Amino acid sequence: MTTQSESAAIRGAHTVTMSDVAQQAGVSSATVSRVLNGNYPVAQSTRDAVKRAIDDLGYTANAHARALASSSTHSVGIIVNDLVDPFFSYIVRGVEQEAATTGRLCIVAASQGDVDREIELIDRMISQRTDAVIVVGGGYDDASARRRMAERARTLAGIGSALVLCGRPSVGENVPTKIVGYDNEGGAFAVTEHLISQGHRRIVYLGGPVGLSTSVARLAGYRRAMQSHGFEVTPELVRQGAFGRRFGHAAMSELLDARLDVTAVFAANDLVAAGALDAMTAQGVRVPEDISLVGYDDIPQSSELTPKLTTVHVPLEDMGRESVRLALSRTDDAFGRHADGEIIVGTRLIVRESVAAPAAVPWGHR
Amino acid sequence: MTTQSESAAIRGAHTVTMSDVAQQAGVSSATVSRVLNGNYPVAQSTRDAVKRAIDDLGYTANAHARALASSSTHSVGIIVNDLVDPFFSYIVRGVEQEAATTGRLCIVAASQGDVDREIELIDRMISQRTDAVIVVGGGYDDASARRRMAERARTLAGIGSALVLCGRPSVGENVPTKIVGYDNEGGAFAVTEHLISQGHRRIVYLGGPVGLSTSVARLAGYRRAMQSHGFEVTPELVRQGAFGRRFGHAAMSELLDARLDVTAVFAANDLVAAGALDAMTAQGVRVPEDISLVGYDDIPQSSELTPKLTTVHVPLEDMGRESVRLALSRTDDAFGRHADGEIIVGTRLIVRESVAAPAAVPWGHR
DNA sequence: CTGAAAGCGCTAACAG
DNA sequence: CTGTTAGCGCTTTCAG
């Protein structure tokens, strides 16, 4: 048997191309293309000969030549802030899965939350002519960024691809984007309501970058719930900053040191909650006996904290999958114009162990 | 000002190509290519004209055409088991970072631990002609898989790319692969020694798929440490299975239910340790007072457990970075033959809070 | 410094 | 069913 490596060695370092295969099989390259793509009738005998030649030569089609000659590149692009943050990695997992299911490869890039970098990465994806470019996570209310994003959206729509905003608000009317979102305001409202229903009224909102759409919306939901019950949201009750564990820890420590009179904490996401929990545990504050705590996102780790975290579930992986499905579904109308597509996934309160009725005497005031 | 979108609208849906730009700028496409690549002298005025045309037209180079005509594709491929497992996601982060630094994009794919799927994905990466294909994580001692892997390694080397095995042993002598590894056996030996030095002698080895190179090596290190002290490793002391949190929980619960006489647990990785810790906490077993616990990998979450986990540090992100560096460093000799490259990163014991001297009376025997 | 022209490897009509 | 023939959009000699 002639193995791939042997023949490669015999033939030298020249890359094996389709016409090599054609020649070896005694057919034309068109025929090789046909058996490869299986989208056209080819005699069984010819097919076999071609397959044998492919094997013997160790031929692997050049995806670039293919992309150039045909249309689809069989790839999707995804841009996230950070690949190790569970929020993003679960979404990436969903995207990769759905891409694989549809025979596509997945190009991922991390923007580190830098807007310019993000645009730059979108441009690189455009260069790659990916079948979709998925941008994940909240954005800032920045007119320039929005305008540049809109330009890319148009370019992508123009080449038959699509820009999908996953967990990010629209960048403007009449901009051809697809959106996969979830209800940040509503979820925040619900979880705050839950706290209030347990008797809390001095609730602090902790974390989330100032101005980031996601955290703006969560804060709004919190505010609406508080106000609908006539509870005042004093400035000291709102502690924004970042979405990480570290911030949660630092901000909570500070809060505790200040002996602020609060009975519950709404952390802007689960990571912040985890950090806050650490800080409380370190200072001997019991959750939920002394202070109740809730988070947002329901990343799997949340149910592994002690106590298990009450939070708002967001179907991250599904959002990833939906993003590619939506992008791939052609929504052009009869005139070839690109219509908008939008999916809002459901969000729901997950009650676990981190909430209880407020302590008779608040922590730090005994 | 003529915006990109306006002119795109005027021009219709035809993708903007280089010759469009050339025409608009009144030069040849060769010139456009030159200013784009900046690797050849072009008059300043011409350069400006071209740039303006590019802007006006909203031109974005087609990466596939470029890859086809030139050589480098400016991309690297990486294959992991699972994108949300911190072990893998940190490595991916390192790869993405280094790729970005060298102006490359990163194609990622998940094999879900399936060998055939892994080979299939390598083939797709070969199709993409990525500058490197990085396969991450332990492998099974499977001759067929190794042979197929070796074939791919040769193919890749033949087209000027490279197969790098990150955290996986060599697939054979004279196979042109690059290796980025770390000392599993040594780290396991060290952490087991640590336990022994604290007075433990009934230590259970928990987790890790049977036969997976990584876990085989860790188990070997554990055995060597035990045996060097004359402690017998009875079969009941070795509980293999998987690398996940769920397995850790299940196996530890079982162990506890069996009232097995052990004073310490060496979890095959931190996820298993986290699961085991959960199980112990649930049953009222205190760590480390009743039973000591150690893990492996030192994923960041390890220091966020209660108690903080004593474990073996593995520089995951660095390994990712090194993988692409190594792959990109040409190590061809004068005859154009591809030489092997290998990096073994350091591993070190991280002592935290999960180990103490054994209890006078073992848990479950009071 | 710039243009013309020959591919890179493949797909997709268009003829047989 | 199969071969011929154009390109896809770019890079890269080779000539000016």
Side-chain angles (χ1 to χ4, degrees):
Chain A
M1 174 190 130
T2 311
T3 71
Q4 170 186 333
S5 41
E6 276 170 2
S7 23
I10 294 164
R11 305 187 57 275
H14 160 70
T15 307
V16 182
T17 76
M18 200 149 161
S19 63
D20 292 328
V21 174
Q23 193 173 344
Q24 165 100 359
V27 299
S28 76
S29 60
T31 301
V32 177
S33 172
R34 286 175 189 127
V35 346
L36 240 39
N37 296 305
N39 52 3
Y40 215 81
V42 174
Q44 188 59 47
S45 57
T46 319
R47 185 184 304 280
D48 291 344
V50 170
K51 285 199 173 138
R52 195 166 332 107
I54 288 176
D55 260 29
D56 286 358
L57 265 31
Y59 168 74
T60 311
N62 182 321
H64 301 292
R66 191 174 273 191
L68 192 55
S70 62
S71 45
S72 168
T73 59
H74 296 290
S75 66
V76 303
I78 175 168
I79 299 169
V80 298
N81 273 8
D82 180 4
L83 284 160
V84 306
D85 181 326
F87 176 86
F88 295 104
S89 57
Y90 275 93
I91 293 180
V92 172
R93 186 204 244 178
V95 168
E96 198 277 338
Q97 248 174 45
E98 186 66 21
T101 300
T102 61
R104 268 166 256 258
L105 243 23
C106 184
I107 302 180
V108 323
S111 69
Q112 333 252 60
D114 176 328
V115 185
D116 294 327
R117 174 91 185 120
E118 195 172 80
I119 297 288
E120 203 178 312
L121 289 171
I122 296 179
D123 285 342
R124 296 221 43 189
M125 303 282 183
I126 294 178
S127 251
Q128 297 290 330
R129 303 291 190 267
T130 54
D131 297 333
V133 176
I134 302 168
V135 178
V136 185
Y140 291 92
D141 185 14
D142 167 349
S144 146
R146 240 180 4 230
R147 183 180 45 66
R148 287 183 293 166
M149 200 73 111
E151 270 174 13
R152 271 66 186 182
R154 296 204 178 84
T155 301
L156 283 164
I159 62 176
S161 179
L163 179 65
V164 5
L165 304 173
C166 180
R168 172 172 311 188
S170 160
V171 291
E173 293 293 311
N174 293 116
V175 180
T177 56
K178 313 240 183 174
I179 294 185
V180 175
Y182 56 98
D183 191 6
N184 280 307
E185 205 272 348
F189 178 82
V191 75
T192 308
E193 273 285 341
H194 174 66
L195 250 14
I196 291 173
S197 75
Q198 300 298 303
H200 296 277
R201 46 179 301 163
R202 294 281 298 167
I203 304 171
V204 65
Y205 176 87
L206 195 73
V210 177
L212 187 75
S213 61
T214 309
S215 78
V216 166
R218 290 177 187 180
L219 179 54
Y222 156 84
R223 283 216 143 92
R224 181 161 65 89
M226 292 292 275
Q227 284 160 4
S228 75
H229 286 270
F231 302 155
E232 199 189 353
V233 177
T234 57
E236 58 180 12
L237 249 28
V238 176
R239 308 279 173 130
Q240 296 185 81
F243 260 148
R245 183 164 188 135
R246 187 157 319 175
F247 177 81
H249 187 102
M252 191 69 218
S253 298
E254 202 176 292
L255 219 63
L256 257 19
D257 290 342
R259 291 281 187 273
L260 194 62
D261 169 31
V262 302
T263 64
V265 172
F266 171 17
N269 74 3
D270 294 347
L271 253 25
V272 171
L277 179 56
D278 264 358
M280 292 196 267
T281 304
Q283 301 215 16
V285 178
R286 294 164 307 161
V287 176
E289 294 81 356
D290 298 320
I291 293 183
S292 287
L293 176 68
V294 300
Y296 208 113
D297 287 345
D298 190 30
I299 57 177
Q301 288 92 308
S302 304
S303 58
E304 298 165 353
L305 295 174
T306 317
K308 297 191 201 314
L309 190 69
T310 287
T311 186
V312 178
H313 181 74
V314 178
L316 270 2
E317 216 169 309
D318 286 343
M319 289 177 64
R321 268 191 233 101
E322 284 306 334
S323 293
V324 354
R325 280 200 203 111
L326 188 59
L328 263 29
S329 69
R330 291 278 64 96
T331 47
D332 304 338
D333 65 19
F335 304 99
R337 273 184 317 217
H338 213 80
D340 277 28
E342 178 161 358
I343 291 178
I344 301 296
V345 303
T347 240
R348 65 178 199 281
L349 184 64
I350 304 290
V351 176
R352 288 201 272 250
E353 312 166 347
S354 63
V355 174
V361 181
W363 180 86
H365 292 259
R366 278 166 292 203
Chain B
M1 172 190 128
T2 312
T3 71
Q4 171 187 333
S5 42
E6 276 170 3
S7 21
I10 294 165
R11 304 188 57 274
H14 160 70
T15 307
V16 183
T17 76
M18 202 148 164
S19 64
D20 293 328
V21 174
Q23 194 173 343
Q24 166 100 359
V27 298
S28 75
S29 59
T31 301
V32 176
S33 171
R34 285 173 189 131
V35 346
L36 239 39
N37 296 303
N39 52 3
Y40 214 82
V42 174
Q44 188 59 47
S45 57
T46 318
R47 183 183 306 278
D48 291 343
V50 169
K51 285 200 172 137
R52 195 166 332 106
I54 287 176
D55 259 30
D56 286 358
L57 264 31
Y59 168 74
T60 312
N62 182 320
H64 301 292
R66 191 174 274 192
L68 192 55
S70 61
S71 46
S72 169
T73 59
H74 296 288
S75 67
V76 303
I78 175 167
I79 299 169
V80 298
N81 273 9
D82 180 3
L83 283 160
V84 307
D85 181 326
F87 177 85
F88 295 105
S89 58
Y90 276 92
I91 292 181
V92 172
R93 186 204 244 178
V95 168
E96 197 277 339
Q97 248 174 44
E98 186 66 21
T101 300
T102 60
R104 267 166 257 255
L105 242 23
C106 185
I107 302 179
V108 322
S111 68
Q112 333 251 59
D114 177 328
V115 184
D116 293 329
R117 175 90 185 121
E118 194 172 82
I119 296 287
E120 203 179 310
L121 289 171
I122 296 179
D123 285 342
R124 296 221 44 189
M125 303 284 183
I126 294 179
S127 253
Q128 296 291 328
R129 305 290 191 266
T130 54
D131 297 333
V133 176
I134 302 168
V135 178
V136 185
Y140 291 91
D141 187 11
D142 167 348
S144 147
R146 237 175 10 223
R147 183 181 43 69
R148 288 183 293 166
M149 200 72 112
E151 270 174 12
R152 273 63 186 182
R154 296 205 179 83
T155 301
L156 283 164
I159 63 176
S161 180
L163 178 66
V164 5
L165 304 173
C166 181
R168 172 172 309 190
S170 162
V171 289
E173 293 294 311
N174 294 116
V175 180
T177 57
K178 313 240 183 175
I179 295 185
V180 175
Y182 56 99
D183 190 6
N184 280 307
E185 205 271 350
F189 178 82
V191 75
T192 308
E193 273 284 341
H194 174 65
L195 248 17
I196 292 174
S197 76
Q198 301 296 304
H200 297 276
R201 46 180 300 162
R202 294 281 298 165
I203 305 170
V204 65
Y205 176 86
L206 195 73
V210 177
L212 186 75
S213 61
T214 308
S215 78
V216 166
R218 290 178 189 180
L219 179 54
Y222 156 83
R223 284 213 142 92
R224 180 160 64 89
M226 292 291 274
Q227 284 161 2
S228 74
H229 286 270
F231 302 156
E232 200 189 352
V233 178
T234 57
E236 58 180 14
L237 248 28
V238 176
R239 309 278 174 132
Q240 295 185 79
F243 261 148
R245 184 165 188 135
R246 188 158 317 173
F247 176 81
H249 187 101
M252 192 69 219
S253 300
E254 202 176 292
L255 219 63
L256 257 19
D257 291 342
R259 290 283 187 274
L260 194 63
D261 168 31
V262 302
T263 63
V265 172
F266 171 18
N269 75 4
D270 293 348
L271 252 27
V272 171
L277 179 57
D278 264 358
M280 292 196 264
T281 304
Q283 302 215 16
V285 178
R286 295 164 305 161
V287 175
E289 294 81 356
D290 297 321
I291 293 184
S292 287
L293 175 68
V294 300
Y296 208 112
D297 286 347
D298 191 30
I299 58 177
Q301 288 92 307
S302 304
S303 57
E304 297 165 354
L305 296 174
T306 316
K308 299 190 200 316
L309 190 69
T310 287
T311 186
V312 178
H313 181 74
V314 179
L316 271 3
E317 215 168 310
D318 285 343
M319 288 176 63
R321 268 191 233 101
E322 284 305 333
S323 293
V324 355
R325 278 201 204 110
L326 187 58
L328 264 29
S329 70
R330 292 276 64 96
T331 47
D332 304 338
D333 65 19
F335 303 98
R337 276 183 317 218
H338 214 79
D340 277 29
E342 178 160 359
I343 290 177
I344 301 298
V345 303
T347 241
R348 65 178 198 282
L349 183 64
I350 305 289
V351 176
R352 288 201 272 249
E353 310 166 347
S354 63
V355 173
V361 181
W363 180 86
H365 292 260
R366 276 168 293 201

